[in-house]
Amino acid sequence: MAIVITGANRGIGRGLRDLFTERGDTVVGTTRGEMPEEAGHWVTVDLQKPEAFAHLASELDSVTVDLLVCNAGVYLDKGMKLADGYAHDVWDTSFSVNVTAVFLTIQALLPNLQMSDAPRIAIISSAMGSTDRAPGGSYAYRASKAAVTNLGRNLARDLEPLGIAVGVYHPGWVQTDMGGSAAELTLDQSLHGLAARFDELSLAKTGTVVSYNGETVPF
């Protein structure tokens, strides 16, 4: 299987890249910074820049993509206070990376996905964006994840006639740099759960919003 993973240089993206590579899939990972030392196919793109998506499409010209994992994301307002936090650039960057870049990546690689016999798109969102689960705080992150979940649901409807399945996934609270050491899940637990969910994604399940363990996430 040919897989593209955005934000594959660290955290969940890096773990997914390693897991899929180890099981024999062909993986292309994107990274914003320096090219990782590990062997494999890497594309350097800054998903905050408009030209990044044409560059990504050019780098993957005529390459079949069976699974696109939109994983790149930021959590800039962790611990911020309502009284003095949430500057404009926090909102701007949160939506630019967590929402806009997801749409533009999918748009740029749509021809590649259409080359596959069973194309799938997996969007990494978060239960923190759930309207039913609104404990307050982390406003920019929560709002951006709610938006990308909505985006995924709408894309599922529009891409279904093209034979492309779309799923939206909550990876759980994971022990990564973003999740912190107090998180309830190990990276390995989340990764294997997500991989299983991606594998079972089909047109029959397009538009699904589920957790790494298969539980439905209210949105």
Side-chain angles (χ1 to χ4, degrees):
M1 184 163 60
I3 303 172
V4 173
I5 304 172
T6 64
N9 59 305
R10 64 186 179 89
I12 291 172
R14 172 63 175 274
L16 287 171
R17 182 257 179 197
D18 292 345
L19 177 63
F20 286 129
T21 298
E22 287 171 5
R23 77 177 196 180
D25 295 309
T26 300
V27 184
V28 177
T30 77
T31 176
R32 185 179 64 176
E34 294 183 2
M35 195 73 71
E37 295 180 359
E38 292 79 9
H41 190 170
W42 295 90
V43 179
T44 300
V45 288
D46 185 344
L47 297 178
Q48 292 186 64
K49 296 182 177 179
E51 63 270 21
F53 308 97
H55 174 67
L56 181 60
S58 176
E59 287 289 309
L60 297 179
D61 184 40
S62 300
V63 174
T64 299
V65 175
D66 298 306
L67 172 64
L68 170 60
V69 182
C70 295
N71 163 78
V74 294
Y75 184 3
L76 303 178
D77 54 333
K78 187 176 183 179
M80 284 188 179
K81 304 298 183 182
L82 178 59
D84 57 4
Y86 304 98
H88 184 278
D89 65 322
V90 171
W91 288 95
D92 189 41
T93 303
S94 295
F95 273 79
S96 176
V97 176
N98 294 351
V99 187
T100 306
V102 172
F103 177 83
L104 294 177
T105 297
I106 293 170
Q107 185 182 54
L109 298 184
L110 195 55
N112 306 77
L113 288 159
Q114 290 180 278
M115 294 170 61
S116 172
D117 292 331
R120 288 166 285 161
I121 298 170
I123 297 173
I124 302 300
S125 184
S126 173
M128 286 181 68
S130 170
T131 301
D132 285 357
R133 302 177 183 177
S138 300
Y139 303 109
Y141 183 75
R142 291 184 190 279
S144 69
K145 289 303 183 179
V148 82
T149 297
N150 180 277
L151 173 66
R153 292 275 295 173
N154 281 283
L155 283 170
R157 175 64 63 87
D158 287 338
L159 295 179
E160 186 174 4
L162 299 180
I164 301 174
V166 181
V168 182
Y169 302 94
H170 169 54
W173 184 20
V174 188
Q175 296 168 10
T176 61
D177 289 342
M178 182 181 289
S181 59
E184 58 190 14
L185 290 176
T186 66
L187 181 58
D188 190 62
Q189 288 173 310
S190 176
L191 295 176
H192 282 86
L194 288 172
R197 304 289 80 74
F198 300 166
D199 286 342
E200 69 187 19
L201 177 62
S202 66
L203 287 175
K205 293 189 175 184
T206 193
T208 188
V209 182
V210 297
S211 184
Y212 74 99
N213 59 6
E215 294 181 356
T216 299
V217 177
F219 54 89

